[in-house]
Amino acid sequence: MNFSLVGNITQANTLKDSFSTAVAKNVVVVSLCISINYINGTLVHTFIKHEIFNRNPRYILFIHMVFNDMIQLIITVLIHVLRYIVLTLNVSFCCVLLLSATFTTLNTPLNLAAMAIERYIAICNPLRHAQICTVPKTYILIGLIWGLNAIQALPDLFVLLATQPQSFFHSNVFCFRDYLFNNPYMLENRNVMYIIYLSFVGLTIVYTYIRIMFVAKSTNLDAGKARSTLILHGIQLLMCLLTFVGPFLDKVLTGMLFLNYVVIHIIPRFVSPVVYGMRDQTFCKYLKRYLLCTMFQTRSTIKTLQPKMNLAKVSDKSI
């Protein structure tokens, strides 16, 4: 499937937008980005502040996904805004943005597979969970996830370096992946790799779900939470799939590009904190405690500053 024409479609749609429409779209996108990343940033801060999460592989993988979503959201929104402001970007700068967005996009499904396997080990092999799922091994696994994605993403850059003159990297282009990395062989290879990649993650989630259900039935174990978590993994995987088929949807639904962009690139970034941060009882407890402490500190600061402000007013009147 070749989606290289989508860049032209998006570019034409951007040029058609009036000034007020363009401003409204970018205000909506930036506002959503700030709101979602504020929630995600609070989760990251809660994770860092409490040692109970730092030593738990489950939460390490979760916060890696949250941090990954934050980076992805910032980059995609930055590209969206820059397309309206300057329309075209320097090729070198565009390559950095697109590769960063690609890395973070590819990270999410593998991170979901890793979280599903961790839950599978915790339920189906609890006696060895502490030995298999250690903190050092978790960080090594995260490094492997980034390494595997580098194998998929960097060939596009190498082909571009090999086929284009040096002057090309000083020119400006419309910053869209299939518009810049448009080698036909690489496009086909990328689509095949995506199919294999997503199939592997999907089968992993399905297999772990089935195994947990069998263990739960045979041992009369209440695995309802683990089952619900894996179902949510499946929902998140479908949202990830939207990212990969996004160019096809843009090509088919040319009149709904902005809505497609919000649904595909922004809304899924809101799922991670809601699914795990708000749903997990332990994390939610510490998150509420942190928010309450912040609220009380803000109130105490205001109360401390009020007498000083009143004294200043009195001094001004006496003068």
Side-chain angles (χ1 to χ4, degrees):
M1 292 179 292
N2 192 331
F3 303 131
S4 58
L5 292 177
V6 179
N8 293 325
I9 295 171
T10 310
Q11 184 178 15
N13 191 72
T14 301
L15 292 172
K16 286 180 182 179
D17 287 340
S18 64
F19 177 76
S20 59
T21 303
V23 170
K25 286 182 178 180
N26 284 287
V27 167
V28 169
V29 167
V30 173
S31 299
L32 288 171
C33 175
I34 294 173
S35 302
I36 294 171
N37 274 350
Y38 174 77
I39 298 172
N40 288 340
T42 304
L43 296 176
V44 173
H45 184 79
T46 304
F47 171 84
I48 294 172
K49 284 292 184 179
H50 298 94
E51 194 173 354
I52 187 176
F53 303 123
N54 300 333
R55 296 186 176 182
N56 191 320
R58 178 187 179 189
Y59 293 112
I60 293 173
L61 288 171
F62 160 62
I63 217 65
H64 171 251
M65 185 167 61
V66 171
F67 187 71
N68 184 81
D69 284 350
M70 291 177 68
I71 297 174
Q72 183 182 5
L73 185 58
I74 290 171
I75 293 172
T76 54
V77 169
L78 178 62
I79 293 174
H80 182 273
V81 173
L82 288 176
R83 282 174 183 166
Y84 277 92
I85 296 176
V86 295
L87 195 61
T88 59
L89 297 177
N90 175 265
V91 171
S92 300
F93 181 56
C94 178
C95 285
V96 173
L97 291 178
L98 290 178
L99 287 176
S100 301
T102 301
F103 271 110
T104 51
T105 300
L106 293 172
N107 278 344
T108 301
L110 285 182
N111 203 94
L112 287 172
M115 295 176 74
I117 293 171
E118 188 276 332
R119 285 294 84 199
Y120 163 75
I121 296 172
I123 300 296
C124 300
N125 201 353
L127 297 178
R128 298 193 60 193
H129 180 263
Q131 296 176 346
I132 299 173
C133 301
T134 63
V135 172
K137 289 180 181 178
T138 304
Y139 284 113
I140 291 173
L141 179 61
I142 291 173
L144 288 174
I145 289 173
W146 283 86
L148 287 172
N149 292 331
I151 294 173
Q152 295 187 65
L154 291 181
D156 283 342
L157 178 62
F158 295 150
V159 170
L160 194 67
L161 290 170
T163 57
Q164 297 294 339
Q166 188 175 358
S167 58
F168 173 74
F169 295 92
H170 298 287
S171 62
N172 288 358
V173 295
F174 186 68
C175 196
F176 189 85
R177 186 179 183 189
D178 289 339
Y179 192 85
L180 181 62
F181 303 110
N182 57 4
N183 183 284
Y185 171 76
M186 295 306 298
L187 287 173
E188 292 298 327
N189 182 66
R190 188 192 311 161
N191 290 329
V192 172
M193 289 299 296
Y194 283 169
I195 293 171
I196 297 173
Y197 175 81
L198 292 173
S199 298
F200 166 76
V201 176
L203 289 173
T204 300
I205 292 175
V206 171
Y207 174 78
T208 52
Y209 175 84
I210 293 173
R211 289 291 298 168
I212 287 174
M213 291 304 99
F214 275 125
V215 170
K217 288 181 179 180
S218 62
T219 60
N220 294 321
L221 179 68
D222 183 12
K225 290 184 179 179
R227 178 179 59 189
S228 300
T229 300
L230 291 177
I231 290 174
L232 292 170
H233 283 329
I235 294 173
Q236 283 186 284
L237 181 62
L238 291 176
M239 290 187 173
C240 293
L241 181 61
L242 287 176
T243 303
F244 293 101
V245 300
F248 174 75
L249 294 178
D250 286 342
K251 188 177 179 181
V252 174
L253 305 173
T254 56
M256 304 173 63
L257 292 180
F258 179 69
L259 180 61
N260 291 345
Y261 172 79
V262 173
V263 172
I264 292 170
H265 295 288
I266 295 183
I267 299 302
R269 308 287 80 77
F270 181 68
V271 174
S272 296
V274 171
V275 168
Y276 298 101
M278 306 301 178
R279 180 176 168 273
D280 187 276
Q281 294 181 357
T282 305
F283 207 99
C284 191
K285 180 179 69 175
Y286 282 89
L287 181 62
K288 287 179 180 178
R289 186 183 303 175
Y290 165 72
L291 293 175
L292 288 174
C293 288
T294 305
M295 191 181 301
F296 284 131
Q297 286 176 0
T298 305
R299 288 180 179 178
S300 62
T301 303
I302 293 173
K303 289 180 180 179
T304 304
L305 291 175
Q306 277 181 344
K308 294 181 180 180
M309 293 172 63
N310 294 333
L311 181 61
K313 289 180 182 179
V314 172
S315 299
D316 290 341
K317 289 182 181 178
S318 61
I319 294 172

